[in-house]
Amino acid sequence: LRMQRPLREQTHRALFDDTGARSVFPHVEVVVISCTQSTWHCVWGAMETRRMYTERREAGSRGRRIRFLDVPDANHFVSTGFG
């Protein structure tokens, strides 16, 4: 529980802070990959990130552009190197 606040602050600075997004790696693409058959904390993390992103966008904050990719019937061992 002691890590919740620092993790929330780091997440905000890395993804949602307008100034940081323009000055630190301004062209980085953030993609949140969520696999529907993963453990609950992986799915929850993606859902919470999407909620925070939507909330801040609706409030007028720009931050980083984030794409959300849901992979049906896959778990957290999915690889992007296949195919």
Side-chain angles (χ1 to χ4, degrees):
L1 294 175
R2 296 177 77 175
M3 289 301 296
Q4 285 180 335
R5 184 176 180 163
L7 288 174
R8 186 173 304 277
E9 290 170 357
Q10 289 175 353
T11 300
H12 174 77
R13 283 195 307 271
L15 299 177
F16 306 121
D17 180 65
D18 293 335
T19 304
R22 287 192 305 269
S23 63
V24 180
F25 301 114
H27 302 292
V28 73
E29 180 181 22
V30 177
V31 181
V32 175
I33 301 173
S34 176
C35 302
T36 60
Q37 297 299 314
S38 274
T39 58
W40 71 267
H41 56 281
C42 294
V43 176
W44 178 81
M47 290 172 56
E48 184 66 6
T49 303
R50 187 184 309 243
R51 183 195 64 75
M52 290 186 296
Y53 178 74
T54 302
E55 202 173 77
R56 283 166 175 77
R57 285 290 173 151
E58 289 173 353
S61 176
R62 292 189 39 93
R64 296 198 187 277
R65 181 178 177 275
I66 303 175
R67 282 191 312 133
F68 292 89
L69 176 63
D70 295 324
V71 182
D73 302 319
N75 65 22
H76 53 284
F77 291 112
V78 71
S79 170
T80 59
F82 64 89

